[in-house]
Amino acid sequence: MTNENKFNFSRRGMLKAGAAGGLLAATPSFFMRDAWAASDFRNNPGNASEIKLGFNVPQTGPYSEEGKDELRAFKLAVKHLNGEGDGGMLNTFKPSVLKGNGVLGKKVGFATGDTQTKSDAARASAKRLIEKENVLMISGGSSSGVAVAVQSLCQEQGVVFMAGLTHSNDTTGKDKRRYGFRHFFNAYMSGRALGPVLEKEYGKERKAYHLTADYTWGWTQEESMKATTEELGWQTTATVRTPVGAGDFSQYITPVLNSGADVLILNHYGKDMINSLSQAVQFGLRDKQVNGKNFEIVVPLFSRLMAQGAGDAIKGILGTTNWNWKLQDEGSQAFVKSFGAEYGAPPSMAAHTCYVQTLLYANACEMAGTFYPPEVIKSLEGFKFDGMGNGATEYRAEDHQCFKDVLVVRGNENPSSQFDLLNVVETTPRSQVEYDWKIFGGELGPYKA
Amino acid sequence: MKIGTMNDLTRFLIFAVVILAMPVWLDPLGGNYPDLLQKFAIYGIFAIGFNILFGLTGYLSFGHAAFLGVGSYAAVWSFKLFTMNAIPALMFGVLFAGALALIIGFLSLRRSGIYFSILTLAFAQMSYNLAYSVLTPITNGETGLQLAQSDPRVIDNMFVEASAGLPSTNLFGLTMSGYPGFYFCAALLILGFFISMRIFRSPFGLMLKGIKSNQNRMMYTGLNTRPYMLTAFVISGMYAGLAGSLLAITDPLAGAERMQWTASGEVVLMTILGGVGTLVGPMIGAGLIKYFENIFSAFNDTVLAEMFSYLPDALVELVVPVVGLFVGSGWHLTLGLLFVVVVIFLPGGIVEGVDKLVKFIRNREKNVGGKVTPQDQPGE
């Protein structure tokens, strides 16, 4: 190594380097439009003829099946908003000011991202959607961890977040945000709805063993289920946390056999639930007699996609869902019809909530007469609507949570088709699952980001 | 001027210019948006730091993501407890990562070669599992550590009234998201590059190179190599900690996935792809991988159909599904192919490829001049 290959600092050299560096640092401001200029709000479409919505869904990872179905629903919603296809729920949604000519006269486009069901990746892809694709709204997601992370990012960035499938109490509880809205129900409501049915079916003296997905959703669902069952007089033998995406749950299921519990509550979702339930059934849990009673398994959050994956294991198992394609109301029928015509399969509840959220956002923009987020948020807060498949529904202004009836379902013993997997046992009225928004704490934050 | 023998000052200046001008030249490539630019700079720091260990000493650590994660967690805690200013977060990130590197390095460096790699991998996976499910009060597990309205933020609250919303990270009032965040990261990347260059050229760097070429011989001369190794390990851990804290500064959230072995593997890929032991190689590799991850993965069939719209329809229907395999969620496939090609044909990474290309062009120029005689070729 010769000496000339090294840095030799001289005063003159430093001065030169400093001047060059300064010039360089300033370069981007010459070349980039809007680099420093503050627009009136984030991604203001201005006079553009098209707006973009961002659909951030898990395309890989343990919840990818739900994500793919969500994406189908989003595409369908965009079609309907632009006046293509048969219009779906646009015809049954009331009060609605949507005309099927886009939103505020602008054509609706979309961009997609992959959350990978990881908070980090989800935020990175949401950032790409906001910064590169200039989306006005972000929707989608199939995990509460992701929903909470993306929701707080959207608050920072001033972009409305219409949560997809997220069931944790935290999303509209302690982690609620002014820019975040959730149409889906939550763990607390599942507990409230399941309680009476569990009492009727399994009695008051039971010992419950919880297996819980180890993140915000699992934690709050375990808490809600524990509260509900203990209110009935059940005992909680143990609560065990399992990592998300574990794949093999046998090491968690073996101890259940010898714990003296007679009910297993699986606070799992997606592929995790498919695996843990299938393994629990394979281990013969359901054929067992404990304390003179039949051993039972409960899956508080149930979806048809999971039921499809779990096959025969779900027969007779109780749970709750947000929505089911077999509902007979006008809105559900219209949605199932156009979704079926497009993709040849009935929509899942994840698809339903995402479709509804997109329509609700578009409608709120029309009502507000602008895309300016604070106005859009105000027209969503306290919005009452019907004809979207869940009966009369209200977006509560205080925590941005939708309130509607909850369905208690049971795995179908004699399915008539590969999609006919869940039977509605009971429709729990909205009044029974309502709660005071103050119980979970948290603050919405300001309208202006 | 030949790239290999380029003067260091020129090299440094070119590097600084290229980095700072990234928003300009990445614009036509579709990469000009703050989040991706920040990622380029941050993972550049990570890879350059990794190269100080792997490139100079030849010790392949498979656990560098642990330091990245620790840096992030330390930075977010600094935001939560003290202040939203970036500087303390940076210092805590580097400090904690350095401390962890000292412990892991001290234990792992007792072995070399594959055993060293496995040890670091084991430690990193241990840290990951701790963050994921054991230390959840500190790390918030799968959900990820986030800011909350109720955080103490002791120093901030002494000076200013808490605002209604969540505060954002800043550098003495300059918000650290968007382009300012990128320039902050870029400045640190350039500084990191400068330090790495100095290390490469220093007697210490020479010592590390000596260890790489023959550690036994170094030891026979009566030299205890371990302190040198440990220093290199800690320095590269601190680089990772810096990168981790920058990740948290540009986006105040720390998730356990950052510490997973895939993240450790990624930095190895970056370094090898760009060129092990070269100064700029790791940066090139980091940029390439992040570009693939963010741009290629976002291509879907509609985008592809638009790209190939100049072809006849029948051909489009044929081409789109085939190309579709390599973009979108299949971007890993493209990256894998590229990696295989680079490792087989260019063991020195992309930097070697560029060198070869420059040499090739220069030789051809000479040939065109027609003055080459066998005598002009240097004898071996």
Side-chain angles (χ1 to χ4, degrees):
Chain A
M1 202 72 32
T2 53
N3 215 14
E4 65 190 305
N5 238 358
K6 279 196 182 176
F7 266 120
N8 278 323
F9 281 112
S10 64
R11 192 170 53 89
R12 184 171 302 207
M14 274 302 273
L15 280 174
K16 271 193 215 157
L23 195 68
L24 262 174
T27 320
S29 51
F30 309 141
F31 288 102
M32 288 182 310
R33 280 171 297 117
D34 307 330
W36 316 107
S39 52
D40 38 349
F41 65 91
R42 171 71 80 169
N43 296 342
N44 184 355
N47 294 323
S49 63
E50 191 182 307
I51 58 157
K52 258 191 192 172
L53 306 178
F55 302 137
N56 203 14
V57 303
Q59 298 175 39
T60 50
Y63 299 160
S64 57
E65 283 306 314
E66 277 76 9
K68 284 174 197 152
D69 217 39
E70 287 182 356
L71 206 53
R72 286 183 205 119
F74 281 131
K75 286 181 182 160
L76 192 66
V78 167
K79 256 190 160 178
H80 291 167
L81 285 174
N82 287 329
E84 297 158 28
D86 62 3
M89 278 195 197
L90 233 55
N91 307 318
T92 60
F93 173 27
K94 51 187 181 276
S96 150
V97 286
L98 291 170
K99 300 179 212 54
N101 63 344
V103 182
L104 294 173
K106 295 183 198 298
K107 192 171 177 284
V108 182
F110 67 92
T112 62
D114 181 7
T115 68
Q116 301 173 27
T117 317
K118 292 178 182 166
S119 312
D120 259 3
R123 267 175 88 116
S125 84
K127 267 186 148 182
R128 182 180 58 80
L129 290 173
I130 295 171
E131 292 177 349
K132 177 151 186 274
E133 307 286 353
N134 301 322
V135 299
L136 274 168
M137 170 274 258
I138 297 230
S139 183
S142 186
S143 152
S144 293
V146 165
V148 167
V150 175
Q151 178 165 280
S152 67
L153 175 81
C154 286
Q155 174 85 28
E156 272 166 42
Q157 305 264 347
V159 171
V160 175
F161 176 62
M162 303 297 282
L165 193 153
T166 155
H167 188 243
S168 167
N169 295 338
D170 291 345
T171 315
T172 50
K174 95 177 162 44
D175 294 316
K176 60 173 161 284
R177 293 281 183 274
R178 181 67 68 186
Y179 280 69
F181 288 86
R182 170 164 67 180
H183 169 263
F184 209 67
F185 70 144
N186 65 18
Y188 181 89
M189 298 186 196
S190 285
R192 283 274 149 232
L194 264 178
V197 180
L198 289 181
E199 184 179 359
K200 199 169 75 196
E201 302 264 338
Y202 304 144
K204 289 191 173 198
E205 282 167 28
R206 282 281 187 169
K207 286 182 179 155
Y209 191 106
H210 289 257
L211 285 183
T212 303
D214 195 359
Y215 73 107
T216 169
W217 168 66
W219 303 335
T220 64
Q221 179 164 302
E222 179 190 288
E223 184 190 309
S224 293
M225 286 309 295
K226 228 173 118 177
T228 306
T229 50
E230 284 176 1
E231 221 169 83
L232 299 176
W234 292 20
Q235 288 169 25
T236 307
T237 312
T239 58
V240 176
R241 305 273 163 94
T242 63
V244 180
D248 180 15
F249 288 90
S250 46
Q251 54 165 322
Y252 300 106
I253 291 170
T254 335
V256 181
L257 294 164
N258 309 316
S259 65
D262 47 29
V263 177
L264 173 63
I265 298 181
L266 285 177
N267 299 310
H268 286 155
Y269 191 72
K271 282 186 191 139
D272 282 358
M273 174 265 170
I274 295 175
N275 290 335
S276 63
L277 179 62
S278 311
Q279 285 180 336
V281 173
Q282 273 167 22
F283 278 48
L285 281 181
R286 298 191 66 194
D287 311 323
K288 267 179 66 116
Q289 291 269 328
V290 181
N291 310 330
K293 303 181 192 84
N294 275 329
F295 194 95
E296 302 290 350
I297 300 177
V298 178
V299 180
L301 180 61
F302 228 155
S303 91
R304 199 208 77 234
L305 285 177
M306 284 159 31
Q308 232 163 301
D312 285 347
I314 55 118
K315 286 183 177 170
I317 289 189
L318 282 171
T320 59
T321 72
N322 191 50
W323 180 82
N324 187 282
W325 66 277
K326 283 197 290 184
L327 289 176
Q328 289 306 310
D329 64 287
E330 214 187 350
S332 303
Q333 293 280 309
F335 179 51
V336 172
K337 190 168 148 258
S338 56
F339 195 94
E342 188 85 16
Y343 304 113
S348 64
M349 66 170 173
H352 169 256
T353 197
C354 288
Y355 179 88
V356 171
Q357 285 278 65
T358 314
L359 257 50
L360 282 171
Y361 173 78
N363 186 55
C365 292
E366 287 277 356
M367 281 181 1
T370 170
F371 293 107
Y372 182 53
E375 292 302 319
V376 176
I377 291 169
K378 278 175 195 154
S379 58
L380 269 173
E381 286 178 339
F383 182 58
K384 292 191 179 78
F385 58 93
D386 203 345
M388 299 280 252
N390 302 95
T393 311
E394 179 185 357
Y395 246 125
R396 186 155 71 178
E398 287 82 4
D399 58 358
H400 295 184
Q401 171 67 48
C402 260
F403 283 89
K404 51 193 166 14
D405 300 344
V406 172
L407 305 175
V408 178
V409 293
R410 185 201 298 275
N412 199 344
E413 301 274 4
N414 305 302
S416 60
S417 76
Q418 55 162 326
F419 305 116
D420 179 26
L421 296 167
L422 301 174
N423 283 332
V424 178
V425 180
E426 198 176 282
T427 307
T428 311
R430 177 184 149 183
S431 57
Q432 204 183 314
V433 296
E434 265 177 14
Y435 57 91
D436 182 4
W437 62 274
K438 291 191 187 96
I439 59 172
F440 292 124
E443 251 179 77
L444 280 174
Y447 281 97
K448 276 198 170 178
Chain B
M1 189 165 47
K2 195 166 164 269
I3 291 196
T5 58
M6 198 190 287
N7 178 303
D8 266 0
L9 182 64
T10 337
R11 200 195 294 254
F12 175 72
L13 284 180
I14 292 176
F15 182 81
V17 171
V18 170
I19 295 297
L20 287 173
M22 261 200 309
V24 181
W25 61 263
L26 272 173
D27 204 35
L29 296 173
N32 177 22
Y33 62 100
D35 184 53
L36 184 61
L37 293 172
Q38 290 162 4
K39 292 263 151 62
F40 281 155
I42 293 170
Y43 282 91
I45 294 176
F46 189 24
I48 284 177
F50 182 75
N51 191 42
I52 291 178
L53 181 71
F54 183 39
L56 281 179
T57 70
Y59 273 57
L60 175 59
S61 158
F62 246 108
H64 257 52
F67 310 129
L68 189 80
V70 167
S72 287
Y73 282 120
V76 176
W77 272 111
S78 150
F79 294 141
K80 285 171 89 75
L81 295 179
F82 307 118
T83 167
M84 295 302 289
N85 195 314
I87 302 292
L90 215 67
M91 294 194 304
F92 278 113
V94 174
L95 211 69
F96 275 87
L100 184 70
L102 190 67
I103 300 168
I104 294 185
F106 182 76
L107 296 169
S108 310
L109 284 168
R110 291 166 178 277
R111 292 286 172 270
S112 63
I114 186 88
Y115 303 101
F116 169 79
S117 303
I118 296 292
L119 273 175
T120 49
L121 176 64
F123 278 118
Q125 205 55 16
M126 236 157 74
S127 322
Y128 166 69
N129 278 322
L130 281 175
Y132 196 84
S133 47
V134 182
L135 296 175
T136 41
I138 301 175
T139 61
N140 207 18
E142 156 84 16
T143 318
L145 187 63
Q146 294 179 32
L147 304 177
Q149 193 68 45
S150 55
D151 290 334
R153 281 189 285 274
V154 190
I155 299 176
D156 278 0
N157 286 341
M158 277 194 299
F159 297 108
V160 276
E161 196 79 354
S163 60
L166 272 182
S168 49
T169 54
N170 62 67
L171 183 70
F172 304 109
L174 184 66
T175 313
M176 279 291 106
S177 54
Y179 283 102
F182 161 66
Y183 283 110
F184 183 62
C185 299
L188 284 166
L189 168 64
I190 291 167
L191 181 73
F193 180 74
F194 177 70
I195 295 174
S196 134
M197 196 177 216
R198 298 295 292 187
I199 292 175
F200 267 65
R201 303 288 183 247
S202 67
F204 169 66
L206 217 55
M207 196 69 87
L208 296 179
K209 281 182 191 163
I211 294 173
K212 182 182 186 177
S213 59
N214 197 335
Q215 190 169 1
N216 284 337
R217 189 178 291 171
M218 295 291 278
M219 286 195 287
Y220 290 153
T221 59
L223 186 95
N224 185 3
T225 54
R226 198 170 296 150
Y228 291 95
M229 296 296 306
L230 190 59
T231 316
F233 192 85
V234 171
I235 291 175
S236 102
M238 284 162 91
Y239 266 80
L242 175 68
S245 60
L246 283 175
L247 278 178
I249 285 166
T250 51
D251 185 8
L253 172 134
E257 307 92 55
R258 248 168 234 187
M259 303 175 103
Q260 222 172 350
W261 66 270
T262 46
S264 302
E266 199 181 49
V267 72
V268 178
L269 284 191
M270 286 172 181
T271 314
I272 293 177
L273 202 59
V276 187
T278 60
L279 278 165
V280 288
M283 176 66 220
I284 297 174
L288 211 63
I289 287 187
K290 285 292 145 189
Y291 185 80
F292 269 81
E293 184 180 328
N294 286 281
I295 305 292
F296 266 56
S297 69
F299 281 10
N300 50 32
D301 285 357
T302 349
V303 179
L304 283 179
E306 264 171 45
M307 274 170 63
F308 291 108
S309 54
Y310 61 89
L311 292 172
D313 278 355
L315 213 55
V316 169
E317 271 168 39
L318 204 72
V319 169
V320 168
V322 175
V323 180
L325 282 177
F326 293 89
V327 296
S329 49
W331 67 273
H332 279 115
L333 199 60
T334 321
L335 188 66
L337 282 177
L338 184 71
F339 189 71
V340 169
V341 169
V342 164
V343 168
I344 292 178
F345 297 105
L346 301 168
I350 290 169
V351 168
E352 187 192 333
V354 173
D355 265 348
K356 274 190 177 167
L357 200 71
V358 170
K359 234 180 252 170
F360 176 73
I361 292 173
R362 209 160 279 151
N363 283 344
R364 223 177 51 161
E365 271 168 10
K366 275 186 198 159
N367 285 334
V368 170
K371 284 177 188 160
V372 178
T373 60
Q375 283 76 22
D376 284 348
Q377 305 288 351
E380 288 297 327

